[in-house]
Amino acid sequence: MTESSDPDAYDMVEMVSYTEEFHSDALTTFLRRRHVLDLGLRYHTVAVLGCQSSGKSTLLNLLFGTRFPTMDASLGRYQVTRGIWLGVDARSGRILVLDLEGTDSRERGETAASFERKSALFALALAEVLVINVWAQDVGRYNAANLALLRTVLEQDVALFHREARRTRLLFVLRDHVSTPLVLLEQTLRDDLERIWSSISKPAALEKASLSTFFDVEYTSLPHKEFHADAFCQAVDGLRERFYKRESEIFQDSYHRGIAADGFSTFCKQIWQVVRENRELDIPTEKEALARIRCEEIAHEVAAFFDEQALDLAAAYDRVMELYAERSARYIGHVAEAKRQSLHELLSLRARDAYLHRLHTQIEEAGNRFECFMQVTLGTDAIKSKPWQGFVGRLERHCDELDTAWTNVATIPTPFVNDEPWCTMLRDQTRRYRERLETLSAQARQRVANLLLDEAATYFTQRVQEPLWDALDHAGEDQEVLSFWDQVQKQVIDRVRGESELRLMDLLAEAGLENTEQQQQQQQQQTATSTRKLLEQHREQTAELVRRHLRELGQSTSSLLLHVMKRFEDAFRFEPKHRVPRVWRPSDDVRAAWTEAIQFAMYLLTLMQHVSIDHVESCMLHETQLQSIRGALEERAAGIYTEAVRAQEAARVHHRIPWWILILMAMLGWNEFVALLQRPLLLLFMLFMVAVLVVLERLRLFAPARRAAQAIAWRMVAGAVRSLQEMGAPGDWSTVRVPSTSDRSAAHLSNPAKHHSE
């Protein structure tokens, strides 16, 4: 019968099958279902030996409320219990009852002795109380009284427990006791046991040991179950109560095998494996092996309760270790301690992995917090117009906050303080954190430095453009190109650069990037090196700004043409020495002046083709741009040349009137002059007209006024002719030709070409 084939299997389990197979999983499941695994050492074991069909299972059922199958006499005599079965008492649930296959089995025949020896040895290794079920009438016999099996029990008990203070109670139950006094039966069995004890081989140290050193032997009898049923039940009840008394006479501490309930299944498996292979059974060694196995299992079981994600890893570790200590205390001390160290290493590894992840997270969080700090300080969230002010102080305070957060996290839990892997891991991660923080700090400082460099560059750009173009606009042809740029370098670029450098130093001081004199010498040297690098970078940046500005100007033809025209007009329209507007006299060489002004203006393009900043030469103009600007310059300068020629012609006409003509006009016009003085209104009108003419002459608007007057006169004539025609006045008015506006414009436009050809 197996556990799964019978509904009563929930009350028992087959430990060893008829074919000597051990059912470890079924036994563990049974013990768990009956809540035995949690009993620790608070349980007892009882086993029964006896001949087949001698009522062993019936006796166990009556004593412990188990439900082992029993023989039905009406069906004949046959083997009921096959192998070894285990049950749990129904009253307390703390007594494990082993029902062994009966001896002298007809079914096994000649092989019965081998299994009897194995089962007896197995029961002896486990049971505190070994019940030997014997018929009273078989006392005095050898085989029927199981004396051969008892010899094996005595020999193996000495071999198993001579190194431990473990005793075993042999409880002889004499069945169907009728007439022979119990005292005589006891004496017969005691003599048989003493004879067997004296004949067995014992260790040298135990040669003089008595049977009572290892065994407490007790004898009891039961009346016939069928013929004296009431007396039989009364005797069974009395014997049962002895098993359940609070201070039992049957179960004693010295009997307990010291096997914790949660390791009972494993220990049974080990014992049966050794017994089945006919190897020498060494209980201390098996207990130590059991302790290793169970402590290993307990370590893995309690390790599952370790929460490596807990904020307080030390508390989580202590809880697991307390649980391990509680459950492993039932096993051999040095084995439990060794496995405790293994558990410590396992927990250390798991906690270290989780802790390493926590440190990595903290490092990443520090980076994110640093980025948020920079975003608030310098990014789009920055509200201050000068966000760099006091930056280093804020940066140091933020780094201190990050260090505090790191210190709170990067503390080795107390149980792992002395573990070298933890110390090495923390050193590596702390170094990684420091490197990350230093990198971020350096990047932040560089970011602020770049911001200050841009600010200084903006300051430089605003102040260098005007003096630079003033120098370009007034550069003379007599000055060599390289000499000019050297002069610009010294007088303009270096001067403005010095101002921007002072501005940069002030900005660095505002940001705190320049240490004060009270700080350490090493920090001053480091800061000086950093400041020197920034100044060098600023110098390169300013030089590039000048080149970029000139390059952009060279790419903008219209802007460059304005500067070229300005140079031309300054040279052509103003006196070179006094810088006053030039008045063209008849003796001046307008063509030569115009040519010199063109050359003076074009010299700017020559300078743009050979730019030299910080001894680095660059060309800002292509040849095609040069030709385009020159053509545009000559085209615009042609009109200026024409106006100059006209002004010179007007001056020449003024100087052609002889002096005597003026005297003659004064003499002949004396009467008219007197008449004019006598008429104030006419005098005022003449003076007004003279003033108008003078103003027109000064503003060089005389010729345009004359053309406007002519146009008005012709319009008036044309209007009069049309009126006469409409009125039908006599005469042929169609022959009168009035010049059109287009004709007058064409005549006017032909004049500049005439003057230019001159």
Side-chain angles (χ1 to χ4, degrees):
M1 183 179 67
T2 63
E3 185 184 6
S4 59
S5 62
D6 191 276
D8 295 336
Y10 289 104
D11 296 318
M12 68 197 75
V13 63
E14 186 181 39
M15 297 178 64
V16 180
S17 67
Y18 189 77
T19 57
E20 302 184 4
E21 297 294 331
F22 189 84
H23 298 160
S24 176
D25 295 338
L27 175 60
T28 303
T29 302
F30 174 76
L31 295 177
R32 181 180 296 109
R33 187 168 55 243
R34 297 302 301 269
H35 307 291
V36 175
L37 298 180
D38 300 328
L39 295 178
L41 297 176
R42 302 185 306 277
Y43 74 97
H44 303 286
T45 52
V46 177
V48 62
L49 291 176
C51 296
Q52 177 177 311
S53 302
S54 62
K56 302 187 303 302
S57 300
T58 300
L59 178 62
L60 294 178
N61 292 340
L62 293 174
L63 291 176
F64 304 108
T66 54
R67 301 177 64 181
F68 295 116
T70 58
M71 184 186 69
D72 186 356
S74 63
L75 300 178
R77 304 188 68 81
Y78 56 92
Q79 187 181 41
V80 179
T81 303
R82 297 165 62 87
I84 302 176
W85 288 73
L86 176 72
V88 179
D89 76 296
R91 182 172 177 177
S92 67
R94 295 178 179 271
I95 301 176
L96 304 183
V97 183
L98 279 76
D99 188 9
L100 279 64
E101 181 181 315
T103 60
D104 198 13
S105 171
R106 176 175 63 83
E107 284 78 5
R108 288 190 180 272
E110 296 180 356
T111 61
S114 175
F115 185 80
E116 291 170 5
R117 176 185 174 280
K118 295 175 183 178
S119 60
L121 185 57
F122 180 74
L124 185 63
L126 299 177
E128 304 171 44
V129 177
L130 194 60
V131 178
I132 303 174
N133 191 65
V134 182
W135 277 317
Q137 59 269 28
D138 289 335
V139 174
R141 299 174 181 173
Y142 187 79
N143 290 327
N146 290 316
L147 295 184
L149 187 60
L150 285 175
R151 180 183 181 89
T152 301
V153 168
L154 298 183
E155 287 180 340
Q156 295 302 324
D157 190 87
V158 173
L160 294 177
F161 303 114
H162 74 276
R163 287 182 294 175
E164 296 182 315
R166 300 295 179 190
R167 298 165 58 83
T168 303
R169 176 175 291 274
L170 296 180
L171 177 59
F172 285 88
V173 178
L174 305 179
R175 302 290 296 277
D176 298 345
H177 180 227
V178 180
S179 57
T180 305
L182 181 60
V183 176
L184 298 179
L185 297 176
E186 290 180 7
Q187 185 61 43
T188 303
L189 290 174
R190 187 177 294 111
D191 293 342
D192 292 337
L193 290 175
E194 290 292 343
R195 185 172 57 256
I196 294 173
W197 177 258
S198 61
S199 63
I200 63 174
S201 60
K202 296 180 286 293
L206 300 175
E207 285 293 337
K208 297 182 180 180
S210 64
L211 179 66
S212 60
T213 304
F214 294 93
F215 295 96
D216 289 332
V217 184
E218 182 179 353
Y219 307 92
T220 187
S221 63
L222 296 176
H224 198 286
K225 182 176 181 298
E226 299 295 336
F227 302 139
H228 305 282
D230 294 339
F232 176 83
C233 292
Q234 186 177 0
V236 168
D237 292 341
L239 181 60
R240 182 194 311 115
E241 291 303 320
R242 293 185 58 197
F243 280 98
Y244 289 102
K245 284 184 179 179
R246 182 176 297 274
E247 295 181 1
S248 175
E249 299 177 359
I250 295 181
F251 296 121
Q252 297 183 12
D253 293 340
S254 60
Y255 297 164
H256 205 288
R257 299 308 187 225
I259 307 301
D262 57 357
F264 184 80
S265 177
T266 303
F267 185 72
C268 292
K269 181 179 179 180
Q270 292 177 219
I271 295 297
W272 182 253
Q273 185 175 358
V274 174
V275 169
R276 186 182 183 188
E277 295 174 357
N278 290 320
R279 291 187 283 119
E280 182 178 357
L281 184 60
D282 187 351
I283 293 297
T285 302
E286 297 302 328
K287 284 186 177 181
E288 186 170 342
L290 173 65
R292 286 196 298 270
I293 294 173
R294 281 302 301 150
C295 289
E296 183 75 21
E297 293 176 351
I298 292 172
H300 283 85
E301 290 173 3
V302 299
F305 295 98
F306 181 68
D307 183 11
E308 59 268 23
Q309 303 300 329
L311 294 178
D312 191 350
L313 289 174
Y317 174 89
D318 292 340
R319 287 193 297 271
V320 172
M321 282 303 182
E322 289 175 2
L323 181 60
Y324 173 80
E326 178 183 350
R327 297 180 61 178
S328 64
R330 309 156 185 165
Y331 299 96
I332 299 176
H334 67 89
V335 176
E337 181 61 27
K339 294 303 177 182
R340 181 186 184 280
Q341 184 61 31
S342 300
L343 175 60
H344 170 82
E345 294 175 357
L346 175 62
L347 298 183
S348 175
L349 178 61
R350 290 178 55 182
R352 191 163 65 248
D353 292 340
Y355 195 73
L356 180 61
H357 177 71
R358 189 178 300 178
L359 294 181
H360 287 172
T361 303
Q362 183 64 26
I363 294 175
E364 294 301 323
E365 182 180 354
N368 295 334
R369 290 179 60 183
F370 206 99
E371 185 62 30
C372 292
F373 165 76
M374 292 302 299
Q375 186 70 19
V376 172
T377 304
L378 301 178
T380 56
D381 296 337
I383 302 176
K384 298 174 61 178
S385 59
K386 295 181 179 181
W388 60 79
Q389 289 183 339
F391 172 76
V392 171
R394 283 177 287 165
L395 177 63
E396 291 177 351
R397 288 192 295 272
H398 183 69
C399 290
D400 291 340
E401 293 176 0
L402 294 180
D403 286 341
T404 301
W406 174 260
T407 302
N408 293 335
V409 174
T411 302
I412 299 178
T414 304
F416 312 115
V417 169
N418 298 323
D419 291 0
E420 183 60 28
W422 279 81
C423 299
T424 303
M425 177 195 68
L426 186 58
R427 284 196 300 269
D428 294 341
Q429 296 305 312
T430 301
R431 182 175 64 255
R432 180 169 175 260
Y433 165 77
R434 294 298 177 192
E435 292 174 354
R436 179 70 181 277
L437 194 61
E438 290 175 1
T439 301
L440 292 173
S441 299
Q443 291 175 353
R445 291 172 181 267
Q446 186 60 43
R447 186 173 172 182
V448 173
N450 292 338
L451 182 62
L452 300 183
L453 284 173
D454 293 341
E455 186 73 16
T458 303
Y459 180 88
F460 174 84
T461 302
Q462 293 173 350
R463 283 159 178 75
V464 80
Q465 291 182 2
E466 184 176 350
L468 174 63
W469 280 111
D470 186 67
L472 288 171
D473 289 340
H474 296 88
E477 293 181 279
D478 57 341
Q479 192 175 13
E480 295 183 358
V481 175
L482 294 180
S483 176
F484 167 79
W485 285 114
D486 288 342
Q487 184 178 357
V488 170
Q489 180 78 42
K490 295 177 182 178
Q491 298 180 359
V492 179
I493 298 178
D494 288 346
R495 177 180 60 79
V496 179
R497 180 182 286 162
E499 296 175 359
S500 63
E501 287 178 352
L502 292 177
R503 173 65 176 167
L504 178 60
M505 296 300 293
D506 292 340
L507 294 175
L508 291 174
E510 290 180 8
L513 293 176
E514 184 180 13
N515 287 352
T516 60
E517 296 180 357
Q518 290 77 15
Q519 293 178 322
Q520 297 181 0
Q521 184 67 24
Q522 182 180 2
Q523 293 180 342
Q524 290 178 350
Q525 292 176 355
Q526 293 176 350
T527 303
T529 302
S530 176
T531 304
R532 185 166 54 253
K533 290 181 179 179
L534 288 176
L535 292 177
E536 292 176 357
Q537 189 174 355
H538 177 66
R539 183 179 183 87
E540 295 175 358
Q541 189 178 21
T542 53
E544 182 60 30
L545 285 173
V546 174
R547 296 190 191 96
R548 184 187 304 170
H549 180 67
L550 295 175
R551 190 179 301 111
E552 291 175 354
L553 182 66
Q555 294 174 353
S556 177
T557 305
S558 60
S559 298
L560 187 58
L561 183 58
L562 290 176
H563 286 277
V564 173
M565 283 299 299
K566 182 178 183 302
R567 284 176 59 87
F568 171 78
E569 292 180 356
D570 289 346
F572 187 70
R573 289 182 171 177
F574 293 89
E575 295 290 344
K577 294 182 179 180
H578 304 291
R579 298 297 298 167
V580 295
R582 177 178 289 178
V583 178
W584 296 103
R585 295 180 295 274
S587 60
D588 291 340
D589 189 352
V590 178
R591 179 176 293 180
W594 185 83
T595 303
E596 290 178 0
I598 289 292
Q599 293 177 354
F600 179 77
M602 293 298 295
Y603 186 65
L604 175 61
L605 304 182
T606 303
L607 295 177
M608 293 293 292
Q609 283 186 305
H610 302 87
V611 176
S612 177
I613 306 297
D614 286 349
H615 307 290
V616 177
E617 295 188 8
S618 306
C619 179
M620 304 302 176
L621 277 179
H622 299 295
E623 190 64 29
T624 55
Q625 292 177 296
L626 182 64
Q627 297 300 329
S628 175
I629 295 173
R630 185 180 184 89
L633 173 63
E634 292 178 350
E635 183 179 353
R636 295 189 181 187
I640 300 175
Y641 174 79
T642 302
E643 292 180 3
V645 170
R646 289 177 181 173
Q648 191 180 41
E649 287 294 329
R652 184 178 292 117
V653 171
H654 176 73
H655 287 289
R656 285 177 183 175
I657 302 175
W659 60 271
W660 55 270
I661 295 295
L662 297 176
I663 295 175
L664 182 60
M665 290 177 64
M667 291 177 63
L668 294 176
W670 176 254
N671 294 331
E672 288 77 5
F673 179 70
V674 173
L676 181 62
L677 292 177
Q678 293 176 352
R679 296 175 175 81
L681 293 177
L682 181 60
L683 178 59
L684 290 175
F685 177 74
M686 293 298 293
L687 291 176
F688 174 74
M689 293 302 296
V690 171
V692 170
L693 293 175
V694 171
V695 171
L696 292 176
E697 179 63 23
R698 291 293 184 182
L699 297 178
R700 296 182 181 182
L701 297 176
F702 188 78
R706 186 185 63 185
R707 290 193 294 272
Q710 289 177 353
I712 293 172
W714 284 114
R715 286 180 178 272
M716 293 176 63
V717 171
V721 170
R722 284 195 299 272
S723 298
L724 291 173
Q725 288 176 350
E726 292 175 356
M727 294 171 60
D732 188 5
W733 297 102
S734 61
T735 59
V736 180
R737 182 177 181 274
V738 180
S740 63
T741 304
S742 60
D743 294 339
R744 294 193 300 274
S745 299
H748 167 67
L749 292 175
S750 63
N751 291 333
K754 178 181 177 182
H755 290 291
H756 182 65
S757 63
E758 293 177 8

